[in-house]
Amino acid sequence: MRAPDEERTTGMVWSGSWVTERLGVELVGDGRPDGDRELRELLGLALRRNPKRAHLLVSNVLGKHVPQKPSVVYGAGFELGRRVRALLGEAEARRAVVLGYAETATGLGHAVADGLGVAPYLHSTRRPVDGVARAGGFEESHSHATSHLLLPEDPALLAGGRGDGEAPGAVAEQSSAAAGAPLVLVDDEFSTGNTVLNTIRALHERYPRGRYVVVALVDMRSPADRVRLAAFAAEIGARVDLVARCSGTVTLPDGVLEKGRALVAAQEEAGSGGREAQSPGLEAESSGPETDSPHPDPDSPGSEAVVGTERRTCTRVDLRWPAGVPDGGRHGFTPAHRAVLERALPAMADRVAAALGGARRVLVLGFEELMYAPLRLAAALEERTDAEVRYSTTTRSPVLAVDDPGYAIRSRLVFPAHDNPADGPGDRYAYNVAGAGFDAVVVTVDSAADTPELHAPDGLLARLAAHTDHVLLAVVPSYVPSYAPPCIPSRAPDPNLSDPGAPDPYVSDAPDPYVSDSYVSERQEPPTVLPEPLRGPAFSSYAPDEVGWLLQDLSHVELEAPVEEREEAIQSGGAHYAESLPVEYQPSAQYQSLFKAALGLSAARVARAVGTVTETVLAERTPRPVLVSLVRAGTPVGILMRRWARHRHGLDLPHYAVSIVRGRGIDANALRWLAAHHDPADVVFVDGWTGKGAITRELAEALAGFDGTKGPEEAEGVVRPGGSGGFDPEIAVLADPGGCVRTYGTREDFLIPSACLNSTVSGLVSRTVLRSDLVGPDDFHGAKFYRALADSDVSGHFLDTVTACFDEVADAVDTEVAALLAADRTPTWEGWAAVERISEEQGIHDVNLVKPGVGETTRVLLRRVPWKILARRGAGADLDHIRLLARQRGVPIEEVDELPYSCVGLIHPKYTRGATGANGRAVEAK
C-alpha cells in the first residue's frame, strides 16, 4: 500500500471519491476558480459510526488521522495565527487569549497561539484532573465524546488575565480593559457553528468580552449558519470574526445519514476491505490480509512482537523534558513556557534521533489530546535528521477503514484505552499507520497514559510492533498545577521494555548545550491522595450539591457518652470535648412546636441576615467565593448563602464543611484538599454566629500556622505553626453579637432557629470528633450521620422556609449592605470583654465555661451541664426555647441589666462525678 500522504501528492485520486460515489456527499468550494481544488487538497472523506453525522471530513494537514510532515502541520496553524495577529493588530494581539478544542484541535490551537507570538493558550479537555477546579465547559453535539471541560491553572486566564509571568495558580487582578481581551477560538473545522455558539454562550455569561475570533482550517457553514452566528453576535453585543484557511460547503443528499449507517454496517460485515487483523477481545482492526501486512500481530507477552525468529522490543527514550513546562495547554501554556521549550527541543530531538539508529521513514505518534508536544518534537526531528518524518496521533473516534486510494482512512489499529479515562475503558484508534511503510514509530504519551494497558499484549505498543521494525516510547511528564496532587499512573515494570533503571545509551553525560540542568524525569513517586468529600444522601440528609463534607464517616463507631460523664472528664482534663459525642437530645413535642413557631417568626429576619452577609462577601472578598462552613452550626448558613447567591445572581458556588476544634485547630488535611481544588484566596469560612470569639481566634491562629505541607509533628491531622497557605482567616457569620468579625449579617443577638436543635436541623450530622485512635495523619476529622433520626429531621424545612423569604427581604438587604459597606466594622471584641467580666463576677474564673449569646446558651442546655442562665432583662420571644429547656433541666434563669447579649449560658464550674466516659473508656465498659 502506498502511504496516504504520498498518494495525495500525485493528484491522481481524491481521498473522498469513494464516499462521494456511494453516498453523493460533495465538497463544494467557495466559488473562487481554485476553490474546489484547494478544498479537495485539504480534505478527504470517510465514514464513521456516529448517530448524528455519518461522514467525517478528514484533514490532510491536521496531523490527527493522516500522517503528514510535521512542518506542514505546524505551519498550517502557525500561519493562521499570523493572520489573526494581522486582523487584531499588535495591541489587541498582545491582549488575546487562545482557546483550542479537544481533542482534534489541541495542537492546531497551540500552533495558532505560537503564530500570534505573545498569546497564552488553553485547550478544552475531556480528562478531569484531580485538584483543578472547573472554570467552565460546553457541549460539542456532533462529536463522539461531547462534553468539554475548561481547567485553567490560573482562573484569571479566561477572564482576560495574561498570567505570562505569574506564579502558577496566582489570580491577577483584572482591570476592565483586561477583562475585555479578545478570545481566539480554534477548531479544525467550522461545519455548523453549533460548537462555537455553545462555547461563546457559556463563556460570555461568566467572562463577557467585546470580541471573539473563530479560527478553523476549513469553514463549511451553510448560509443559514452564517446568518445565525451574526444574529448571535448582535444578541450578546460582541464582534465575532472568522479566519479560515479554506471555505466551502458540504452537500448532503436526502437520507444520507441512514444510507451512511447501512454502508458502514455492510462494510463492517464484509470486513471493510481495509487492512484489519483479528485480535482476541477486539473487533476487527485495520491491517488487511496476512500476506499484505509486513508483520503479523504480536502473540507474545509484553511489548515484544514475534516476526519469524526475530523479537522486536520497545525502546524507552528519556526526553529530559524541561522542568516547569506543561505537556500541553490543558491547564494553560504561556509564551514564557514556549521560550523554554524552544531551547530544549533540539536536544530532545537529538536523543530520539540517536535511538532511531538507521531508520529512514519515521512516524511520531501523539496521543489523543497530547498533540502539541509530539508535533514540536517531530518538527525538530525533521529538521535535525535525514529521515523522512511524519506525524499523527491516536484518537477516541471510531472511523471505518477502507483500503481504497479514494478513501481517506486506509487502515486502522484498535487498542484499549491506556490513560484510565474518566468515562471508563474503551477502544482507541490509530489510522493510516498499518501498512504505511514506517520502519520506526516514536510513541509519545504523557505519564498519566504510561500504564500497564499501554504495555499489554493487546496494547498500543504491541499493536504497533506488528507493523514496524522499531517502536520507541517517549514519555512527557503530565503537568498538573502546583496546588494539585501529581498526576501519577500506577505502572508496573515491563520486563520486555528496555531497563528503565539502566543507563540510557542514547543520552550523553556531556553538558547539554541546549537546555539547563533543570528537567523533569518521567518517573515520579505517587502522592498521598486525600479522599473526596462525603455527600448526601449517603452522608447527611442534604442534597449532594448543597454541601460536600470534608469529614470521615464514623457512623459505625459508638462515641456517645452521657452528658454528665463527658462534663467531668472535660473539666478534669481527662479528655478533650472532641473525643466523644453527647447523647443526641430528642426534642419533646412541646419543644418541636416551639421550634416551628420560632422559625415562623424569625425566618424573614434570618433571610435578611443571609442576604446581607452574602452580598458583603461578594462585594468585598471575592466575586466567586468558595464557601467553607465550620461544622456544624455553620453548615446550614453556608447552604443558605449558596442559595442566595444562586437566587439573586445565578452563581453556583462550591460549598464544603470542615471541622475546627477549640484548642486543636482546623483540620489540616481538609485545608490541603481545599488548596488542591480551589484557589485559597477564594475560600470564605462561614459560621452561624460568634459568641465570645473563641473559634474566630482559633481559626486565625491555625491558619497562621498553615503552609500547605505536612510534617511529622502533625500526626493528629491539625494545623501547627508555620505559614498561612493563602487562606483568609476572617469568618463570615450570620450574627456577630460579640463584635468579633467584619463580615456579618447582623450584630444583634437574636434567635437563629437552627441553634434550637442539634443534628435534626443540621442534616442529621453530629458535631465533629478528633481522637487519635480514629483519625490518622492522612484522615479528615470524623463525624456521624444519624440516619435513625430521619423522622425528626427538619433540616430541609428550615432551609426552605428561610429561602422562601429571599424576595421579601431583597430591598432591605440592598439598603443594609450599602450602609455596611460604608461603615466602620472594625471588630471591637466587646463580647470577649463581657465574658471575662462575667467569669470573674460569677466566680468561675474560666472563660471557656461562659457561653454568650442565644446560640451558645442553647448548646449549653442541650450538650453540657448548665449551672445557670443570665438573661437580659426584658428579652422577649427570642428566649422562649431557652426558658423551656431551662425548666426541663431545672436550671435557674437570672435576669440582669447591661448584658451585651440576649442571654449567657454558664456551664457548671465544679461538676464532678468521677466519670471517664469522654475518653471512651466508660463507653467500652458497657
Side-chain angles (χ1 to χ4, degrees), residues 315-450:
T315 302
R316 184 182 292 272
V317 180
D318 191 347
L319 294 175
R320 297 194 177 184
W321 186 262
V325 175
D327 54 292
R330 181 177 287 113
H331 305 301
F333 197 100
T334 69
H337 291 140
R338 179 185 172 221
V340 177
L341 179 61
E342 294 285 351
R343 294 193 296 269
L345 277 169
M348 289 192 287
D350 287 346
R351 293 186 184 97
V352 175
L356 286 170
R360 302 305 306 162
R361 181 170 169 81
V362 178
L363 173 68
V364 177
L365 184 66
F367 155 64
E368 297 184 23
E369 293 178 11
L370 187 75
M371 297 186 70
Y372 182 74
L375 172 60
R376 298 305 312 278
L377 182 64
L381 191 65
E382 184 181 19
E383 292 178 355
R384 301 178 71 81
T385 67
D386 295 329
E388 181 184 346
V389 180
R390 295 293 183 269
Y391 160 81
S392 64
T393 75
T394 64
T395 176
R396 298 168 62 105
S397 300
V399 184
L400 178 71
V402 178
D403 190 12
D404 186 287
Y407 190 82
I409 303 297
R410 301 288 298 277
S411 69
R412 179 176 72 172
L413 294 176
V414 184
F415 52 92
H418 54 88
D419 63 335
N420 300 317
D423 56 353
D427 287 338
R428 300 294 186 262
Y429 310 90
Y431 296 112
N432 291 322
V433 177
F438 295 113
D439 49 21
V441 177
V442 182
V443 179
T444 309
V445 302
D446 61 5
S447 56
D450 185 16

Side-chain angles (χ1 to χ4, degrees), residues 281-293:
L282 293 175
E283 61 178 292
E285 60 172 71
S286 184
S287 61
E290 189 172 311
T291 55
D292 291 341
S293 180

Side-chain angles (χ1 to χ4, degrees), residues 125-181:
T125 181
R126 295 186 175 107
R127 178 196 288 178
V129 178
D130 288 342
V132 183
R134 174 176 169 176
F138 50 89
E139 294 295 313
E140 184 179 10
S141 57
H142 67 270
S143 175
H144 176 68
T146 61
S147 296
H148 290 247
L149 304 173
L150 296 176
L151 306 176
E153 177 175 16
D154 184 350
L157 184 64
L158 285 172
R162 295 305 308 266
D164 296 352
E166 292 103 340
V171 183
E173 290 189 14
Q174 301 302 304
S175 67
S176 58

Side-chain angles (χ1 to χ4, degrees), residues 585 590-591 594-595 598 689 749-753 755-757 851-862 866 868-872 875-895 899 901-906:
Y585 169 74
Q590 182 183 7
Y591 190 84
L594 194 62
F595 165 80
W689 55 83
D749 183 21
F750 76 102
L751 171 61
I752 300 172
C756 293
L757 299 168
K851 303 295 184 180
V854 177
E856 292 302 304
T857 302
T858 305
R859 287 179 169 181
V860 170
L861 290 164
L862 293 177
K868 66 173 71 172
I869 306 299
L870 305 181
R872 187 169 58 206
D878 277 345
L879 300 189
D880 283 350
H881 75 292
I882 297 289
R883 297 184 182 98
L884 175 61
L885 286 174
R887 285 198 303 272
Q888 290 177 343
R889 298 201 63 180
V891 178
I893 297 179
E894 296 181 8
E895 290 194 348
L899 194 66
Y901 300 92
S902 296
C903 59
V904 174
L906 305 181

Side-chain angles (χ1 to χ4, degrees), residues 203-225:
L203 292 179
H204 199 76
E205 291 178 356
R206 300 183 67 176
Y207 314 106
R209 64 191 74 233
R211 190 168 189 182
Y212 298 87
V213 180
V214 180
V215 182
L217 288 170
V218 290
D219 176 9
M220 305 297 285
R221 291 175 300 158
S222 68
D225 292 329

Side-chain angles (χ1 to χ4, degrees), residues 541-595:
S541 61
Y542 292 133
D545 63 325
E546 298 267 36
V547 59
W549 302 85
L550 295 176
L551 298 170
Q552 63 166 315
D553 188 356
L554 298 180
S555 301
H556 61 288
V557 182
E558 188 176 5
L559 293 166
E560 291 77 13
V563 171
E564 291 80 6
E565 290 186 6
R566 294 183 73 251
E567 191 62 48
E568 189 202 356
I570 292 169
Q571 291 196 34
S572 67
H576 191 278
Y577 78 91
E579 293 179 351
S580 68
L581 294 174
V583 176
E584 276 284 308
Y585 169 74
Q586 295 301 302
S588 64
Q590 182 183 7
Y591 190 84
Q592 291 183 52
S593 298
L594 194 62
F595 165 80

